């Protein structure tokens, strides 16, 4: 477990300054946990950048009711066991008031019971598995969920791609991957499609030729790969080597600049669903992209946008409580309505989820995404 710090020296100074104020109870402590290293490192790094933008903006503008926000971030390397360790530490040792995280559903599922037990409000920017928030009145998310995402992908496969026969490629270690494939199957079959073959792997695997050879023999119209970007990119590369021309589709887990770095030209022409599109001409979105690019020298991916929105929703609720935390803050969060984020308008429903549109993006060989369509819930 490692406390994660941006490398710039001035940030350490800023943290030190905030640390002094902490003694005056004049600070709101925000804990963050994420995968800053490992095969899903871009998830954690992008999310952190989005969150940090909001925290810095708020602090520069004088804080909330005079209180500064202190961000305490830990890297759990993408491991659920480590997520348990760092979230316990955030609560017991750092005494955070609010927790932001995680991206991956398996890590949010590992941490959520701890946040709930200690009544520390937790906001997941982008975990989409339905179980994350279920039965936990202190656990929220600002993204859509996988029953919706699975439906969007199944309809797209059936109605837009006219696919009848589908293959599933599932990471059995990931709650997200298993759930998304399940929800896809339900709608795809209800629309008259057929799941001809299901193949499994475990996150971290690097060789998918066996699964791909089995899939190749079945003559399918589409392959749903419900994993994360590293394995997705490796699979596409190996599929190309095996002469497989079938189109791949997948969920938000594909979203990373690494998809193209690892997959090269093999990623061209495949489709995935996501939370936002850089082509969205809404000035709010374009302004966010411009500011993010100026700070980090790259185009923000969906994770950065979701991190930004999670932090914005937190700040909005804090403003409504005048900087008070605890149960009052939990209630304010639950009352979030029509909040204009960069990933859409966010209303927290009675199950602490957000109902928002998804976008379908077509991956290009140069690593950019082409906007295909927006699908409303
Ligand atoms: N939705 C994924 C999960 O729940 C995480 C993710 C979100 C990955 C957005 C990429 C982009 O596991």
């Amino acid at each position: 477990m490692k406390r994660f710090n941006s490398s710039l020296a001035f940030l350490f100074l800023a943290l030190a300054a905030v640390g002094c104020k902490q003694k005056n109870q004049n600070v709101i402590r925000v804990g963050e946990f994420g995968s800053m290293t490992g095969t899903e490192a871009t998830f954690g790094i992008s999310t952190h950048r989005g969150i940090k933008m909001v925290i810095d903006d708020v602090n520069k503008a004088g804080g909330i009711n005079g209180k500064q926000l202190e961000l305490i971030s830990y890297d759990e390397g993408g491991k659920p066991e480590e997520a348990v360790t760092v979230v316990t530490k955030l609560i017991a040792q750092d005494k955070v008031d609010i927790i932001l995280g995680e991206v991956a559903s398996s890590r949010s599922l590992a941490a959520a019971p701890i946040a709930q037990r200690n009544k520390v409000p937790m906001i997941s920017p982008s975990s989409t598995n339905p179980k994350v928030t279920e039965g936990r009145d202190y656990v929220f998310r600002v993204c859509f969920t996988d029953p919706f995402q699975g439906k969007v992908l199944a309809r797209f496969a059936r109605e837009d791609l006219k696919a009848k026969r589908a293959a599933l490629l599932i990471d059995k270690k990931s709650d997200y991957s298993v759930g998304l494939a399940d929800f896809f199957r339900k709608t795809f079959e209800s629309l008259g499609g057929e799941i001809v073959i299901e193949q499994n792997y475990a996150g971290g695997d690097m060789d998918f030729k066996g699964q791909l050879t089995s899939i190749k023999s079945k003559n399918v119209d589409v392959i749903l790969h419900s994993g994360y970007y590293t394995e997705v990119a490796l699979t596409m590369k190996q599929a190309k080597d095996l002469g497989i021309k079938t189109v791949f589709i997948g969920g938000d887990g594909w979203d990373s600049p690494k998809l193209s770095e690892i997959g090269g030209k093999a990623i061209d022409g495949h489709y995935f669903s996501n939370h936002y599109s850089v082509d969205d001409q809404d000035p709010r979105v374009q302004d966010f992209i411009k500011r993010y690019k100026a700070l980090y020298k790259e185009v923000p991916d969906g994770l950065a946008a979701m991190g930004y929105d999670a932090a914005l929703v937190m700040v909005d609720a804090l403003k409504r409580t005048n900087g008070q935390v605890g149960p009052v803050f939990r209630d304010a969060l639950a009352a979030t309505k029509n909040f204009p984020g960069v990933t859409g308008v966010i209303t927290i429903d009675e199950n602490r989820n957000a109902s928002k549109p998804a976008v379908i993006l077509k991956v290009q060989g140069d690593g950019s995404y082409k906007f295909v369509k927006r699908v409303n819930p």
Side-chain angles (χ1 to χ4, degrees):
M1 158 182 40
K2 220 168 55 222
R3 183 142 166 181
F4 177 83
N5 273 318
S6 308
S7 54
L8 302 171
F10 75 85
L11 292 180
F12 290 106
L13 295 177
L15 276 174
V18 172
C20 299
K21 285 195 180 145
Q22 195 170 308
K23 288 173 204 130
N24 309 331
Q25 296 291 308
N26 220 11
V27 78
I28 297 165
R29 266 164 286 194
V30 181
E32 178 203 5
F33 68 114
S35 53
M36 319 286 183
T37 54
T39 53
E40 287 133 41
T42 67
F43 288 173
I45 294 167
S46 293
T47 304
H48 176 72
R49 288 173 171 178
I51 290 173
K52 200 156 180 328
M53 263 172 90
V54 173
I55 303 268
D56 289 348
D57 284 349
V58 169
N59 285 341
K60 256 183 238 149
I64 294 163
N65 199 16
K67 292 185 184 179
Q68 292 279 298
L69 299 174
E70 182 191 3
L71 181 63
I72 303 168
S73 308
Y74 287 115
D75 170 24
E76 23 72 340
K79 301 186 192 90
E81 329 75 78
E82 275 292 296
V84 167
T85 308
V86 298
V87 166
T88 305
K89 191 161 182 240
L90 279 172
I91 295 173
Q93 189 176 310
D94 300 313
K95 308 236 180 298
V96 296
D97 301 301
I98 303 159
I99 293 173
L100 300 177
E102 225 263 21
V103 168
S105 293
S106 294
R107 265 104 68 189
S108 288
L109 281 165
I114 307 165
Q116 177 66 29
R117 206 178 313 127
N118 291 282
K119 294 199 184 322
V120 176
M122 165 173 150
I123 311 170
S124 167
S126 45
S127 284
T128 45
N129 186 278
K131 292 198 205 83
V132 171
T133 52
E134 251 170 46
R136 298 188 179 106
D137 63 346
Y138 272 77
V139 183
F140 297 79
R141 80 178 105 214
V142 295
C143 56
F144 54 64
T145 60
D146 288 332
F148 170 64
Q149 184 167 216
K151 197 190 292 172
V152 166
L153 286 166
R155 294 196 85 101
F156 179 71
R158 203 61 199 100
E159 291 162 6
D160 297 62
L161 301 178
K162 311 279 178 227
K164 179 135 182 69
R165 295 163 59 80
L168 304 180
L169 197 47
I170 304 170
D171 176 355
K172 279 290 178 186
K173 264 174 46 186
S174 152
D175 294 284
Y176 158 76
S177 184
V178 172
L180 183 60
D182 258 9
F183 298 118
F184 173 86
R185 177 198 290 274
K186 275 193 198 111
T187 304
F188 194 70
E189 288 178 346
S190 79
L191 293 171
E194 198 190 333
I195 306 294
V196 196
I197 178 170
E198 178 185 320
Q199 292 286 296
N200 301 320
Y201 68 95
D205 285 357
M206 298 185 74
D207 185 351
F208 302 92
K209 293 203 194 71
Q211 292 93 325
L212 287 167
T213 306
S214 304
I215 290 173
K216 193 180 181 187
S217 70
K218 296 286 185 193
N219 264 316
V220 295
D221 307 314
V222 72
I223 303 168
L224 173 83
H225 195 319
S226 60
Y228 294 140
Y229 65 88
T230 299
E231 290 83 1
V232 169
L234 289 171
T235 306
M236 287 172 176
K237 252 188 130 161
Q238 292 164 23
K240 199 172 179 199
D241 292 344
L242 290 170
I244 295 171
K245 301 222 165 60
T246 316
V247 62
F248 282 88
I249 59 171
D252 52 354
W254 287 22
D255 190 16
S256 171
K258 290 270 178 211
L259 186 75
S260 126
E261 261 175 59
I262 300 168
K265 290 271 171 284
I267 64 172
D268 189 53
H270 303 301
Y271 300 88
F272 74 107
S273 51
N274 207 3
H275 303 272
Y276 107 124
S277 162
V278 290
D279 295 330
D280 189 334
Q281 287 314 310
D282 187 322
R284 207 165 49 234
V285 179
Q286 289 306 319
D287 175 62
F288 163 70
I289 294 173
K290 205 168 115 198
R291 288 210 307 133
Y292 188 96
K293 265 165 115 176
L295 276 170
Y296 304 114
K297 316 287 171 236
E298 71 178 32
V299 178
D301 58 14
L303 286 308
M306 298 302 290
Y308 186 77
D309 275 357
L312 279 182
V313 164
M314 170 189 80
V315 167
D316 173 66
L318 281 172
K319 281 183 182 157
R320 282 184 277 119
T321 65
N322 270 322
Q324 265 200 79
V325 291
V328 185
F329 169 73
R330 192 227 75 96
D331 293 347
L333 207 50
T336 302
K337 273 201 181 51
N338 297 321
F339 181 82
V342 292
T343 60
V345 176
I346 298 166
T347 293
I348 300 293
D349 67 19
E350 68 279 16
N351 300 312
R352 297 160 306 283
N353 301 322
S355 163
K356 291 155 73 187
V359 292
I360 301 271
L361 305 172
K362 186 175 189 177
V363 183
Q364 314 289 298
D366 64 359
S368 66
Y369 308 144
K370 193 164 168 260
F371 174 80
V372 177
K373 68 195 284 192
R374 180 178 309 275
V375 186
N376 289 313

